[in-house]
Amino acid sequence: MSTSFDLAVDWANSVSAGNRPKMWGEALALSLVEHSADIILVLTEDHICLFANPAVCDRLGYAPEDVLGHDVIPLHHPDDLPHAQTMLARAAASPGLPAQSEVRLRHQDGSWRWMEVVAVNRLADPAIQGIVCNLRDVTERTEAAIAAQEALRHQEAARRDLEHLNHAKSSFLRLLGHEFKTPLTVIAGNADLLEMEEARSESLLESARAIRGEAQRLARLIDDLLLLDRLEATRLVLRRDSIDLNALVTETVNRMRNMAPRRVFHFQLGTDLPPVQADRERVVQMIVNLVGNAVKYSPDGEPITISTARDGSAVCLSVTDRGIGIAAEELPTLFVRYHRARSGEMKGIPGTGLGLAIVRELAQLHGGEAWAESVEGEGSTFVVRLPVDSSK
């Protein structure tokens, strides 16, 4: 790349070689440098500016006297200092050979401008005695290239997210087929048993319980699917009311005891808990999903603790189990739709990966949040934080 300075010198030399006096050629070279659209600097080996053409004002907002006698290194963006120093060192070590780099320089208004820099060692030239730097403003071109690269990164991230979602949905559909098939098989088998004349009353009772349980599980699955669809389409409208969370937790969990007769439930409910402003039905869904999740992942006889506590302008509901726990690397994706912890899948624990996603989305819809804390092999705690009723 020929710099403006090189072109000016070549032109001046060619003119001086003719009939014009050498002084005329030097004046012409100086005129070309002064009117160049590129910034031209002459630096010492210590980066001190000996000369700056007027373009330094047009491109960077500085008057030439603002940079003369000063080290130009502090004008560089901190991230580009190594490139600038390497380029100038290369130029100083190789007289006559251009060294190039692309760096950001600070404009007088505080913004940054991208410069394509070519540095040539002219220290041995008695007329110059410095390193000549030609700086061409390439801000628009570079920023456009950076924006294009950023757009490509976003596109690639979106593609990976889409692939992950498609994979998750495929896994979910396979799981859903299994979730529907299992209760239907149980229902059909027990219906056949009920039709047999020799069936005893106790077996009839067991069959009725099995049918009822599987039918309820199917109903909950269908409810979750419909609710998730409404959440995705932002069609769910909350019916907020002032709710006594302790009373609702106690009532809901007591109704669930029949579903898990071999589980022990402990309550640790905060005293003088303020009411929350929430949709009663949706809070019940969050409680059922969290407690049901703890029942599935904890062994028989191990206690499940349900706690409530005041947390500033909010109330926290926590459900703690002593089950299989969750690996730390899986916690960030635990509330993602269709995602299930590998530990549950490996142990054959049934589930669709919808429950926790619904809990978080309902909590966020209320202006709250949900998260999990867990140690693999020791158990988990799931927390929902809901705002208190400010009118009370």
Side-chain angles (χ1 to χ4, degrees), residues 137-158:
D137 192 333
V138 292
T139 302
E140 285 72 24
R141 184 192 74 188
T142 303
E143 289 184 346
I146 292 173
Q149 291 175 353
E150 188 66 20
L152 285 174
R153 280 195 293 270
H154 283 299
Q155 185 179 20
E156 177 62 19

Side-chain angles (χ1 to χ4, degrees), residues 224 285-286 289-290 293 335 352-360:
D224 282 350
Q285 285 179 298
M286 288 189 277
N289 279 347
L290 291 182
N293 191 71
F335 291 86
T352 60
L354 296 180
L356 292 179
I358 289 173
V359 168
R360 172 168 284 181

